[in-house]
Amino acid sequence: MDNENLVYYAGDVKALGDGKVAGYLVRYGAPKDTDLEGDFFSKETEYGIDEESRLPVYYQHGFDPQLKTRRIGRGVVKYDDAGLWFEAQLELRDEYERMLYKLAEAGKLGWSSQAAGSLVEREKLGKAYHIK
């Protein structure tokens, strides 16, 4: 995590067949259930994402030297009791995108969300920080 872009790692990407993938983009936590930075999200966090919003999917936040900022798919966010569930369709247009789906099938990909540091507000709760 750096000051310019905050990156949070969530759950595994699950391959569902035909280029479809799903998993938790954000999992809710608590002051005693934080990430490695001591941060946690909750139902009260303002995500800036409406349920059923269609979001782009990028590999490695656009930092991969081959794929760069190429959008590799789109997905839909659904809120539930555990967090923000994300289902996406990868485009599978070429060997690189098909290789990413094979990585998902092998259980070697994970979802990650990113926000500009200037948009993130933290509230200290004991030793933890609630992402507001």
Side-chain angles (χ1 to χ4, degrees):
M1 185 168 67
D2 63 43
N3 291 331
E4 292 183 24
N5 291 299
L6 302 178
V7 177
Y8 297 93
Y9 299 96
D12 295 337
V13 173
K14 308 290 183 193
L16 304 177
D18 298 321
K20 294 179 184 166
V21 290
Y24 280 99
L25 183 60
V26 172
R27 286 189 178 270
Y28 302 141
K32 293 186 178 186
D33 181 20
T34 67
D35 66 13
L36 295 175
E37 300 291 329
D39 294 334
F40 70 95
F41 295 94
S42 72
K43 287 184 179 182
E44 290 75 35
T45 298
E46 172 54 56
Y47 296 97
I49 303 169
D50 294 326
E51 187 165 5
E52 300 292 330
S53 289
R54 289 185 50 78
L55 301 175
V57 177
Y58 298 97
Y59 182 63
Q60 297 280 327
H61 298 280
F63 295 116
D64 179 75
Q66 182 64 43
L67 295 173
K68 300 177 183 165
T69 59
R70 182 196 318 179
R71 188 188 73 232
I72 61 168
R74 288 195 181 272
V76 175
V77 173
K78 296 179 183 176
Y79 288 72
D80 67 22
D81 289 337
L84 279 64
W85 181 257
F86 187 57
E87 293 184 19
Q89 175 66 54
L90 301 183
E91 295 180 13
L92 307 178
R93 294 171 289 202
D94 60 28
E95 67 180 287
Y96 295 105
E97 292 181 10
R98 289 188 291 274
M99 181 266 318
L100 292 177
Y101 187 70
K102 287 181 182 180
L103 289 173
E105 289 177 316
K108 300 200 181 275
L109 290 180
W111 290 117
S112 174
S113 62
Q114 179 177 349
S118 62
L119 297 176
V120 177
E121 182 181 346
R122 289 185 172 91
E123 174 185 26
K124 189 158 177 62
L125 296 173
K127 293 182 180 181
Y129 289 88
H130 176 232
I131 305 297
K132 292 181 72 177

